[in-house]
Amino acid sequence: MTVYVTGSSGVLGFEILSHLHDAGIAASGVARKPLPLRNGQLRQISTPEVLRAGWLPGRADATIVHCAGLASPRVHFNDFAELSRRDIEPQIRFAELLVAKGWRGHMIYLSSAGVYGDSASLPIPEDTPLAAKSWYALQKMSVEQGLSLLAQRHGFRLTILRVANVYGAALAGPTFGVVTILLDALRTGKAFRLFGGGTSLRDYIHASDFCAAVERCCRTPPRGPVTVLNLGTGEGTSLASLIELLPRVAGGTLNIVHQPQDGEVASSVLDISRTRAVLGWAPAVGLEEGLRRTVAVTR
């Protein structure tokens, strides 16, 4: 089995590439930037045109873990036309170029739990209607649909992973997710802005469990042309609970500044029963243990 990880110099791409390498899988990263860690230990194809497919060396059956693309929900777009031109069309064109080269392998696309928007019931199963509330989620939803059409039309296999909040990654900086934002505030004394009462729920999955699930996807042939899987823990944690737990694990005191609730998704907890059944996988790291590991690797 040959695996390529696009966007391997990013936070999640690097985690996946490192994990697959350590698991004995022949994996190569594909990215514009050099690997920030373990350079020389991991295979990397450096190219300014990750989404042009010229780097694929004729492997018709290769597995592609596709992480390259819009990485931050905070990127602003003026309108849908700009979003489509900059971050949707290049993703679909990438798959079309792969098909034109004769590739008919397995693509694992990292989507987001944000595609569900506000759901009336929790946990959220994969057949829940999609209702994106941000440009980022709309981009993920649009790319999902475009790739699904191409997979069914051209015969490659597609696994869509709707990923919850990953934490504990080696490259996660002080703005990558609420856990690292809280850790930075804890260590620097910066104010943390708490919108509303902090009662909305989120599903937090440790990077080790996330990578183990991606590995299972690489090793598990999809049952049909398109498989959609939620990737989380199935358990919700309120921000207020996280604010209480993290100082207990890491030590110190948070400077909390309360502000009115903004327009974010109310709560998001994923139903992972399908993922358990398809991959034979289950998360192994609880939130408190995951936070301890995160604190240990970021000291």
Side-chain angles (χ1 to χ4, degrees):
M1 176 174 54
T2 301
V3 179
Y4 297 93
V5 181
T6 67
S8 51
S9 60
V11 175
L12 297 185
F14 176 77
E15 287 291 320
I16 293 168
L17 180 61
S18 296
H19 177 91
L20 296 180
H21 170 82
D22 294 342
I25 294 176
S28 296
V30 186
R32 291 182 294 107
K33 300 177 182 179
L35 292 172
L37 298 173
R38 301 185 64 173
N39 207 352
Q41 299 178 41
L42 307 177
R43 299 175 185 173
Q44 168 90 328
I45 299 172
S46 297
T47 173
E49 297 184 328
V50 175
L51 298 182
R52 299 300 294 176
W55 50 264
L56 184 67
R59 289 299 306 243
D61 61 344
T63 294
I64 298 173
V65 183
H66 188 33
C67 307
L70 185 60
S72 173
R74 297 177 180 86
V75 177
H76 174 73
F77 296 90
N78 292 315
D79 49 36
F80 181 77
E82 182 185 10
L83 174 70
S84 178
R85 183 177 65 255
R86 283 173 45 185
D87 283 288
I88 296 175
E89 294 172 22
Q91 297 285 327
I92 305 307
R93 191 179 305 116
F94 171 57
E96 291 174 334
L97 290 170
L98 288 170
V99 167
K101 290 193 67 171
W103 173 81
R104 296 295 187 276
H106 178 198
M107 177 178 287
I108 300 169
Y109 175 62
L110 261 61
S111 186
S112 167
V115 298
Y116 295 118
D118 289 324
S119 179
S121 61
L122 302 175
I124 306 169
E126 287 87 349
D127 57 1
T128 299
L130 306 186
K133 291 185 66 177
S134 67
W135 291 120
Y136 176 77
L138 181 59
Q139 185 257 1
K140 291 294 187 183
M141 184 177 75
S142 301
V143 174
E144 278 191 21
Q145 293 172 341
L147 293 178
S148 295
L149 173 65
L150 293 177
Q152 294 177 76
R153 178 170 293 178
H154 296 290
F156 66 86
R157 292 161 295 159
L158 174 66
T159 299
I160 295 169
L161 296 179
R162 292 177 179 159
V163 184
N165 297 267
V166 181
Y167 70 99
L171 296 184
T175 62
F176 183 84
V178 69
V179 170
T180 52
I181 293 172
L182 282 170
L183 273 175
D184 183 60
L186 197 61
R187 290 166 176 165
T188 64
K190 294 177 184 176
F192 178 81
R193 294 183 297 167
L194 176 61
F195 294 95
T199 57
S200 60
L201 302 176
R202 293 292 184 272
D203 194 336
Y204 297 98
I205 181 169
H206 191 264
S208 62
D209 283 330
F210 162 75
C211 289
V214 174
E215 180 193 343
R216 289 289 182 94
C217 284
C218 292
R219 297 185 186 275
T220 306
R223 293 178 292 183
V226 180
T227 301
V228 180
L229 298 175
N230 285 336
L231 189 45
T233 66
E235 298 181 2
T237 301
S238 70
L239 184 53
S241 296
L242 189 61
I243 287 171
E244 179 184 350
L245 177 60
L246 191 55
R248 198 164 72 232
V249 170
T253 303
L254 282 166
N255 176 20
I256 305 297
V257 176
H258 293 269
Q259 294 192 353
Q261 178 72 46
D262 63 4
E264 290 188 355
V265 172
S267 289
S268 179
V269 182
L270 297 180
D271 181 342
I272 61 170
S273 54
R274 180 190 291 180
T275 307
R276 289 175 182 267
V278 171
L279 299 181
W281 165 93
V285 181
L287 182 57
E288 184 165 347
E289 171 59 23
L291 292 176
R292 293 187 192 281
R293 295 187 188 186
T294 304
V295 171
V297 300
T298 57
R299 287 195 186 280

